[in-house]
mmCIF file of all heavy atoms in Angstrom:
data_model
loop_
_atom_site.group_PDB
_atom_site.id
_atom_site.type_symbol
_atom_site.label_atom_id
_atom_site.label_comp_id
_atom_site.label_asym_id
_atom_site.label_seq_id
_atom_site.Cartn_x
_atom_site.Cartn_y
_atom_site.Cartn_z
ATOM 1 N N PHE A 919 -77.755 -7.520 57.562
ATOM 2 C CA PHE A 919 -78.272 -7.393 58.917
ATOM 3 C C PHE A 919 -78.553 -8.793 59.469
ATOM 4 O O PHE A 919 -79.131 -9.643 58.781
ATOM 5 C CB PHE A 919 -79.556 -6.578 58.938
ATOM 6 C CG PHE A 919 -79.349 -5.097 58.773
ATOM 7 C CD1 PHE A 919 -79.953 -4.408 57.735
ATOM 8 C CD2 PHE A 919 -78.563 -4.385 59.672
ATOM 9 C CE1 PHE A 919 -79.778 -3.036 57.585
ATOM 10 C CE2 PHE A 919 -78.374 -3.009 59.532
ATOM 11 C CZ PHE A 919 -78.984 -2.344 58.479
ATOM 12 N N VAL A 920 -78.136 -9.015 60.709
ATOM 13 C CA VAL A 920 -78.396 -10.284 61.392
ATOM 14 C C VAL A 920 -79.057 -9.927 62.716
ATOM 15 O O VAL A 920 -78.432 -9.329 63.594
ATOM 16 C CB VAL A 920 -77.088 -11.076 61.631
ATOM 17 C CG1 VAL A 920 -77.402 -12.466 62.172
ATOM 18 C CG2 VAL A 920 -76.269 -11.181 60.351
ATOM 19 N N SER A 921 -80.347 -10.285 62.857
ATOM 20 C CA SER A 921 -81.094 -9.771 64.010
ATOM 21 C C SER A 921 -82.078 -10.796 64.564
ATOM 22 O O SER A 921 -82.588 -11.642 63.833
ATOM 23 C CB SER A 921 -81.850 -8.504 63.598
ATOM 24 O OG SER A 921 -82.593 -7.987 64.686
ATOM 25 N N ARG A 922 -82.342 -10.657 65.867
ATOM 26 C CA ARG A 922 -83.399 -11.449 66.504
ATOM 27 C C ARG A 922 -84.759 -10.782 66.327
ATOM 28 O O ARG A 922 -85.792 -11.379 66.602
ATOM 29 C CB ARG A 922 -83.115 -11.617 68.003
ATOM 30 C CG ARG A 922 -81.833 -12.354 68.320
ATOM 31 C CD ARG A 922 -81.720 -12.689 69.797
ATOM 32 N NE ARG A 922 -80.402 -13.202 70.107
ATOM 33 C CZ ARG A 922 -79.998 -14.456 69.862
ATOM 34 N NH1 ARG A 922 -80.849 -15.296 69.313
ATOM 35 N NH2 ARG A 922 -78.775 -14.839 70.173
ATOM 36 N N HIS A 923 -84.737 -9.539 65.876
ATOM 37 C CA HIS A 923 -85.974 -8.773 65.752
ATOM 38 C C HIS A 923 -86.488 -8.833 64.315
ATOM 39 O O HIS A 923 -86.198 -7.957 63.497
ATOM 40 C CB HIS A 923 -85.740 -7.325 66.193
ATOM 41 C CG HIS A 923 -85.314 -7.209 67.628
ATOM 42 N ND1 HIS A 923 -86.209 -7.267 68.677
ATOM 43 C CD2 HIS A 923 -84.080 -7.073 68.178
ATOM 44 C CE1 HIS A 923 -85.554 -7.144 69.818
ATOM 45 N NE2 HIS A 923 -84.255 -7.026 69.543
ATOM 46 N N ASP A 924 -87.271 -9.878 64.032
ATOM 47 C CA ASP A 924 -87.778 -10.075 62.676
ATOM 48 C C ASP A 924 -88.597 -8.886 62.199
ATOM 49 O O ASP A 924 -88.630 -8.576 61.002
ATOM 50 C CB ASP A 924 -88.653 -11.335 62.612
ATOM 51 C CG ASP A 924 -87.899 -12.597 63.007
ATOM 52 O OD1 ASP A 924 -86.705 -12.488 63.360
ATOM 53 O OD2 ASP A 924 -88.502 -13.686 62.954
ATOM 54 N N GLU A 925 -89.239 -8.201 63.141
ATOM 55 C CA GLU A 925 -90.125 -7.096 62.767
ATOM 56 C C GLU A 925 -89.360 -5.891 62.217
ATOM 57 O O GLU A 925 -89.949 -4.978 61.635
ATOM 58 C CB GLU A 925 -90.968 -6.663 63.973
ATOM 59 C CG GLU A 925 -90.214 -5.897 65.063
ATOM 60 C CD GLU A 925 -89.443 -6.784 66.041
ATOM 61 O OE1 GLU A 925 -89.413 -8.020 65.823
ATOM 62 O OE2 GLU A 925 -88.888 -6.239 67.017
ATOM 63 N N LEU A 926 -88.036 -5.894 62.352
ATOM 64 C CA LEU A 926 -87.242 -4.763 61.875
ATOM 65 C C LEU A 926 -86.871 -4.867 60.397
ATOM 66 O O LEU A 926 -86.227 -3.963 59.861
ATOM 67 C CB LEU A 926 -85.965 -4.626 62.712
ATOM 68 C CG LEU A 926 -86.151 -4.224 64.180
ATOM 69 C CD1 LEU A 926 -84.805 -4.179 64.893
ATOM 70 C CD2 LEU A 926 -86.840 -2.870 64.280
ATOM 71 N N VAL A 927 -87.271 -5.951 59.765
ATOM 72 C CA VAL A 927 -86.894 -6.143 58.366
ATOM 73 C C VAL A 927 -87.365 -4.982 57.497
ATOM 74 O O VAL A 927 -86.642 -4.517 56.609
ATOM 75 C CB VAL A 927 -87.415 -7.498 57.833
ATOM 76 C CG1 VAL A 927 -88.926 -7.570 57.877
ATOM 77 C CG2 VAL A 927 -86.902 -7.737 56.409
ATOM 78 N N TYR A 928 -88.583 -4.480 57.743
ATOM 79 C CA TYR A 928 -89.108 -3.394 56.918
ATOM 80 C C TYR A 928 -88.384 -2.080 57.211
ATOM 81 O O TYR A 928 -88.111 -1.291 56.301
ATOM 82 C CB TYR A 928 -90.612 -3.249 57.126
ATOM 83 C CG TYR A 928 -91.371 -4.486 56.702
ATOM 84 C CD1 TYR A 928 -91.944 -5.343 57.633
ATOM 85 C CD2 TYR A 928 -91.480 -4.818 55.347
ATOM 86 C CE1 TYR A 928 -92.608 -6.489 57.244
ATOM 87 C CE2 TYR A 928 -92.152 -5.964 54.945
ATOM 88 C CZ TYR A 928 -92.714 -6.796 55.897
ATOM 89 O OH TYR A 928 -93.363 -7.935 55.507
ATOM 90 N N SER A 929 -88.051 -1.850 58.467
ATOM 91 C CA SER A 929 -87.308 -0.639 58.821
ATOM 92 C C SER A 929 -85.906 -0.651 58.208
ATOM 93 O O SER A 929 -85.340 0.409 57.908
ATOM 94 C CB SER A 929 -87.187 -0.516 60.344
ATOM 95 O OG SER A 929 -88.464 -0.428 60.943
ATOM 96 N N SER A 930 -85.360 -1.850 58.007
ATOM 97 C CA SER A 930 -83.998 -1.955 57.481
ATOM 98 C C SER A 930 -83.915 -1.617 55.990
ATOM 99 O O SER A 930 -82.831 -1.316 55.485
ATOM 100 C CB SER A 930 -83.459 -3.377 57.697
ATOM 101 O OG SER A 930 -84.049 -4.305 56.787
ATOM 102 N N LEU A 931 -85.045 -1.649 55.299
ATOM 103 C CA LEU A 931 -85.022 -1.488 53.850
ATOM 104 C C LEU A 931 -84.489 -0.129 53.405
ATOM 105 O O LEU A 931 -83.964 -0.003 52.301
ATOM 106 C CB LEU A 931 -86.429 -1.719 53.269
ATOM 107 C CG LEU A 931 -86.988 -3.137 53.419
ATOM 108 C CD1 LEU A 931 -88.382 -3.212 52.808
ATOM 109 C CD2 LEU A 931 -86.061 -4.159 52.763
ATOM 110 N N ARG A 932 -84.615 0.877 54.258
ATOM 111 C CA ARG A 932 -84.140 2.209 53.851
ATOM 112 C C ARG A 932 -82.619 2.239 53.697
ATOM 113 O O ARG A 932 -82.068 3.155 53.062
ATOM 114 C CB ARG A 932 -84.596 3.267 54.845
ATOM 115 C CG ARG A 932 -83.957 3.213 56.228
ATOM 116 C CD ARG A 932 -84.540 4.318 57.106
ATOM 117 N NE ARG A 932 -83.925 4.451 58.403
ATOM 118 C CZ ARG A 932 -84.286 3.776 59.485
ATOM 119 N NH1 ARG A 932 -85.285 2.898 59.397
ATOM 120 N NH2 ARG A 932 -83.671 3.964 60.642
ATOM 121 N N PHE A 933 -81.934 1.239 54.248
ATOM 122 C CA PHE A 933 -80.480 1.159 54.110
ATOM 123 C C PHE A 933 -80.067 0.265 52.939
ATOM 124 O O PHE A 933 -78.881 0.044 52.734
ATOM 125 C CB PHE A 933 -79.859 0.630 55.410
ATOM 126 C CG PHE A 933 -80.116 1.513 56.599
ATOM 127 C CD1 PHE A 933 -81.070 1.171 57.542
ATOM 128 C CD2 PHE A 933 -79.421 2.709 56.751
ATOM 129 C CE1 PHE A 933 -81.324 1.993 58.630
ATOM 130 C CE2 PHE A 933 -79.663 3.532 57.841
ATOM 131 C CZ PHE A 933 -80.615 3.180 58.781
ATOM 132 N N ARG A 934 -81.061 -0.262 52.216
ATOM 133 C CA ARG A 934 -80.813 -1.138 51.069
ATOM 134 C C ARG A 934 -79.838 -2.264 51.416
ATOM 135 O O ARG A 934 -78.777 -2.420 50.790
ATOM 136 C CB ARG A 934 -80.279 -0.331 49.876
ATOM 137 C CG ARG A 934 -81.251 0.737 49.394
ATOM 138 C CD ARG A 934 -80.653 1.588 48.298
ATOM 139 N NE ARG A 934 -80.376 0.809 47.108
ATOM 140 C CZ ARG A 934 -81.253 0.540 46.150
ATOM 141 N NH1 ARG A 934 -82.490 0.995 46.265
ATOM 142 N NH2 ARG A 934 -80.922 -0.160 45.099
ATOM 143 N N PRO A 935 -80.171 -3.062 52.437
ATOM 144 C CA PRO A 935 -79.244 -4.123 52.849
ATOM 145 C C PRO A 935 -79.098 -5.201 51.775
ATOM 146 O O PRO A 935 -80.028 -5.452 50.998
ATOM 147 C CB PRO A 935 -79.911 -4.695 54.107
ATOM 148 C CG PRO A 935 -81.370 -4.442 53.903
ATOM 149 C CD PRO A 935 -81.429 -3.100 53.212
ATOM 150 N N PHE A 936 -77.956 -5.820 51.755
ATOM 151 C CA PHE A 936 -77.716 -6.936 50.843
ATOM 152 C C PHE A 936 -78.603 -8.120 51.236
ATOM 153 O O PHE A 936 -79.149 -8.801 50.383
ATOM 154 C CB PHE A 936 -76.237 -7.326 50.888
ATOM 155 C CG PHE A 936 -75.832 -8.347 49.870
ATOM 156 C CD1 PHE A 936 -75.571 -7.970 48.562
ATOM 157 C CD2 PHE A 936 -75.707 -9.687 50.222
ATOM 158 C CE1 PHE A 936 -75.196 -8.914 47.614
ATOM 159 C CE2 PHE A 936 -75.339 -10.631 49.285
ATOM 160 C CZ PHE A 936 -75.086 -10.246 47.971
ATOM 161 N N ARG A 937 -78.727 -8.343 52.533
ATOM 162 C CA ARG A 937 -79.601 -9.381 53.060
ATOM 163 C C ARG A 937 -80.048 -9.015 54.477
ATOM 164 O O ARG A 937 -79.372 -8.236 55.170
ATOM 165 C CB ARG A 937 -78.913 -10.768 53.114
ATOM 166 C CG ARG A 937 -78.660 -11.425 51.765
ATOM 167 C CD ARG A 937 -79.942 -11.815 51.068
ATOM 168 N NE ARG A 937 -79.694 -12.571 49.860
ATOM 169 C CZ ARG A 937 -79.426 -12.049 48.669
ATOM 170 N NH1 ARG A 937 -79.337 -10.730 48.550
ATOM 171 N NH2 ARG A 937 -79.252 -12.814 47.613
ATOM 172 N N PHE A 938 -81.168 -9.592 54.899
ATOM 173 C CA PHE A 938 -81.622 -9.538 56.283
ATOM 174 C C PHE A 938 -81.748 -10.988 56.742
ATOM 175 O O PHE A 938 -82.570 -11.745 56.208
ATOM 176 C CB PHE A 938 -82.970 -8.819 56.393
ATOM 177 C CG PHE A 938 -83.422 -8.580 57.820
ATOM 178 C CD1 PHE A 938 -83.301 -7.333 58.401
ATOM 179 C CD2 PHE A 938 -83.974 -9.613 58.575
ATOM 180 C CE1 PHE A 938 -83.719 -7.104 59.715
ATOM 181 C CE2 PHE A 938 -84.392 -9.402 59.879
ATOM 182 C CZ PHE A 938 -84.255 -8.137 60.451
ATOM 183 N N ILE A 939 -80.925 -11.371 57.707
ATOM 184 C CA ILE A 939 -80.888 -12.757 58.180
ATOM 185 C C ILE A 939 -81.438 -12.812 59.596
ATOM 186 O O ILE A 939 -80.994 -12.060 60.475
ATOM 187 C CB ILE A 939 -79.446 -13.307 58.158
ATOM 188 C CG1 ILE A 939 -78.854 -13.217 56.738
ATOM 189 C CG2 ILE A 939 -79.403 -14.748 58.658
ATOM 190 C CD1 ILE A 939 -77.369 -13.522 56.677
ATOM 191 N N ARG A 940 -82.388 -13.697 59.791
ATOM 192 C CA ARG A 940 -82.952 -13.860 61.129
ATOM 193 C C ARG A 940 -82.053 -14.772 61.967
ATOM 194 O O ARG A 940 -81.709 -15.866 61.526
ATOM 195 C CB ARG A 940 -84.368 -14.437 61.037
ATOM 196 C CG ARG A 940 -85.365 -13.496 60.361
ATOM 197 C CD ARG A 940 -86.674 -14.172 60.077
ATOM 198 N NE ARG A 940 -86.537 -15.162 59.011
ATOM 199 C CZ ARG A 940 -87.536 -15.921 58.554
ATOM 200 N NH1 ARG A 940 -88.740 -15.805 59.092
ATOM 201 N NH2 ARG A 940 -87.323 -16.775 57.582
ATOM 202 N N LYS A 941 -81.711 -14.335 63.153
ATOM 203 C CA LYS A 941 -80.859 -15.170 64.002
ATOM 204 C C LYS A 941 -81.528 -16.503 64.329
ATOM 205 O O LYS A 941 -80.849 -17.525 64.457
ATOM 206 C CB LYS A 941 -80.512 -14.432 65.299
ATOM 207 C CG LYS A 941 -79.514 -13.299 65.102
ATOM 208 C CD LYS A 941 -79.075 -12.711 66.447
ATOM 209 C CE LYS A 941 -78.004 -11.652 66.243
ATOM 210 N NZ LYS A 941 -77.506 -11.087 67.527
ATOM 211 N N SER A 942 -82.835 -16.484 64.416
ATOM 212 C CA SER A 942 -83.562 -17.717 64.727
ATOM 213 C C SER A 942 -83.530 -18.709 63.564
ATOM 214 O O SER A 942 -83.834 -19.891 63.751
ATOM 215 C CB SER A 942 -85.020 -17.390 65.073
ATOM 216 O OG SER A 942 -85.661 -16.742 63.979
ATOM 217 N N ARG A 943 -83.180 -18.225 62.352
ATOM 218 C CA ARG A 943 -83.130 -19.097 61.171
ATOM 219 C C ARG A 943 -81.751 -19.024 60.517
ATOM 220 O O ARG A 943 -81.618 -19.203 59.310
ATOM 221 C CB ARG A 943 -84.200 -18.656 60.159
ATOM 222 C CG ARG A 943 -85.613 -18.555 60.726
ATOM 223 C CD ARG A 943 -86.216 -19.909 61.034
ATOM 224 N NE ARG A 943 -86.504 -20.630 59.808
ATOM 225 C CZ ARG A 943 -87.623 -20.494 59.091
ATOM 226 N NH1 ARG A 943 -88.544 -19.602 59.466
ATOM 227 N NH2 ARG A 943 -87.825 -21.215 58.018
ATOM 228 N N LEU A 944 -80.737 -18.771 61.321
ATOM 229 C CA LEU A 944 -79.399 -18.501 60.810
ATOM 230 C C LEU A 944 -78.885 -19.600 59.880
ATOM 231 O O LEU A 944 -78.432 -19.336 58.762
ATOM 232 C CB LEU A 944 -78.416 -18.306 61.973
ATOM 233 C CG LEU A 944 -76.947 -18.072 61.575
ATOM 234 C CD1 LEU A 944 -76.802 -16.750 60.837
ATOM 235 C CD2 LEU A 944 -76.050 -18.107 62.807
ATOM 236 N N GLU A 945 -78.941 -20.838 60.342
ATOM 237 C CA GLU A 945 -78.356 -21.929 59.558
ATOM 238 C C GLU A 945 -79.158 -22.224 58.298
ATOM 239 O O GLU A 945 -78.628 -22.832 57.364
ATOM 240 C CB GLU A 945 -78.201 -23.176 60.431
ATOM 241 C CG GLU A 945 -77.214 -22.951 61.577
ATOM 242 C CD GLU A 945 -76.927 -24.220 62.356
ATOM 243 O OE1 GLU A 945 -77.188 -25.309 61.835
ATOM 244 O OE2 GLU A 945 -76.431 -24.107 63.497
ATOM 245 N N GLU A 946 -80.413 -21.797 58.254
ATOM 246 C CA GLU A 946 -81.227 -21.983 57.053
ATOM 247 C C GLU A 946 -80.985 -20.868 56.046
ATOM 248 O O GLU A 946 -80.948 -21.105 54.830
ATOM 249 C CB GLU A 946 -82.719 -22.018 57.411
ATOM 250 C CG GLU A 946 -83.125 -23.165 58.321
ATOM 251 C CD GLU A 946 -84.557 -23.012 58.783
ATOM 252 O OE1 GLU A 946 -85.426 -22.757 57.928
ATOM 253 O OE2 GLU A 946 -84.815 -23.121 60.001
ATOM 254 N N GLU A 947 -80.841 -19.633 56.517
ATOM 255 C CA GLU A 947 -80.781 -18.476 55.632
ATOM 256 C C GLU A 947 -79.368 -18.047 55.243
ATOM 257 O O GLU A 947 -79.176 -17.388 54.210
ATOM 258 C CB GLU A 947 -81.523 -17.304 56.273
ATOM 259 C CG GLU A 947 -83.003 -17.583 56.478
ATOM 260 C CD GLU A 947 -83.747 -16.460 57.168
ATOM 261 O OE1 GLU A 947 -83.103 -15.479 57.582
ATOM 262 O OE2 GLU A 947 -84.984 -16.566 57.308
ATOM 263 N N LEU A 948 -78.380 -18.428 56.046
ATOM 264 C CA LEU A 948 -77.010 -18.001 55.761
ATOM 265 C C LEU A 948 -76.450 -18.571 54.451
ATOM 266 O O LEU A 948 -75.794 -17.828 53.711
ATOM 267 C CB LEU A 948 -76.096 -18.364 56.936
ATOM 268 C CG LEU A 948 -74.645 -17.897 56.809
ATOM 269 C CD1 LEU A 948 -74.565 -16.375 56.731
ATOM 270 C CD2 LEU A 948 -73.814 -18.415 57.998
ATOM 271 N N PRO A 949 -76.658 -19.857 54.137
ATOM 272 C CA PRO A 949 -76.053 -20.395 52.900
ATOM 273 C C PRO A 949 -76.419 -19.615 51.642
ATOM 274 O O PRO A 949 -75.547 -19.328 50.811
ATOM 275 C CB PRO A 949 -76.588 -21.832 52.847
ATOM 276 C CG PRO A 949 -76.810 -22.190 54.279
ATOM 277 C CD PRO A 949 -77.320 -20.927 54.913
ATOM 278 N N GLU A 950 -77.685 -19.265 51.471
ATOM 279 C CA GLU A 950 -78.086 -18.503 50.278
ATOM 280 C C GLU A 950 -77.413 -17.138 50.269
ATOM 281 O O GLU A 950 -76.997 -16.641 49.204
ATOM 282 C CB GLU A 950 -79.611 -18.343 50.249
ATOM 283 C CG GLU A 950 -80.143 -17.688 48.969
ATOM 284 C CD GLU A 950 -80.052 -16.172 48.988
ATOM 285 O OE1 GLU A 950 -80.126 -15.579 50.098
ATOM 286 O OE2 GLU A 950 -79.902 -15.576 47.905
ATOM 287 N N SER A 951 -77.305 -16.518 51.439
ATOM 288 C CA SER A 951 -76.658 -15.216 51.528
ATOM 289 C C SER A 951 -75.184 -15.311 51.139
ATOM 290 O O SER A 951 -74.650 -14.431 50.455
ATOM 291 C CB SER A 951 -76.777 -14.658 52.952
ATOM 292 O OG SER A 951 -78.134 -14.465 53.309
ATOM 293 N N LEU A 952 -74.514 -16.377 51.553
ATOM 294 C CA LEU A 952 -73.103 -16.565 51.199
ATOM 295 C C LEU A 952 -72.943 -16.855 49.712
ATOM 296 O O LEU A 952 -71.972 -16.396 49.087
ATOM 297 C CB LEU A 952 -72.497 -17.692 52.032
ATOM 298 C CG LEU A 952 -72.397 -17.435 53.537
ATOM 299 C CD1 LEU A 952 -71.783 -18.630 54.249
ATOM 300 C CD2 LEU A 952 -71.579 -16.173 53.823
ATOM 301 N N ASP A 953 -73.881 -17.612 49.134
ATOM 302 C CA ASP A 953 -73.848 -17.845 47.685
ATOM 303 C C ASP A 953 -73.891 -16.514 46.941
ATOM 304 O O ASP A 953 -73.089 -16.262 46.041
ATOM 305 C CB ASP A 953 -75.040 -18.705 47.250
ATOM 306 C CG ASP A 953 -74.858 -20.173 47.564
ATOM 307 O OD1 ASP A 953 -73.692 -20.597 47.752
ATOM 308 O OD2 ASP A 953 -75.865 -20.895 47.632
#
C-alpha cells in the first residue's frame, strides 16, 4: 500500500500487506521495501 493517509495503516492490516509506504516518506521507506 502506498498512501498519503498515514492513519489507514491499521485498517490495512486486515489485508496482510507486504508493506505500507507513506507517500510523504516515499524515498526513505521504498528502499527497504524493495530489498
Side-chain angles (χ1 to χ4, degrees):
F919 284 122
V920 188
S921 179
R922 298 189 189 281
H923 299 280
D924 300 2
E925 73 278 5
L926 293 178
V927 62
Y928 298 108
S929 299
S930 74
L931 295 180
R932 69 181 185 273
F933 299 103
R934 299 175 64 85
F936 187 81
R937 289 293 186 276
F938 187 102
I939 302 170
R940 295 170 290 180
K941 287 187 176 182
S942 60
R943 307 289 290 275
L944 177 66
E945 296 187 19
E946 298 172 48
E947 297 177 355
L948 184 62
E950 186 278 330
S951 298
L952 294 180
D953 282 340

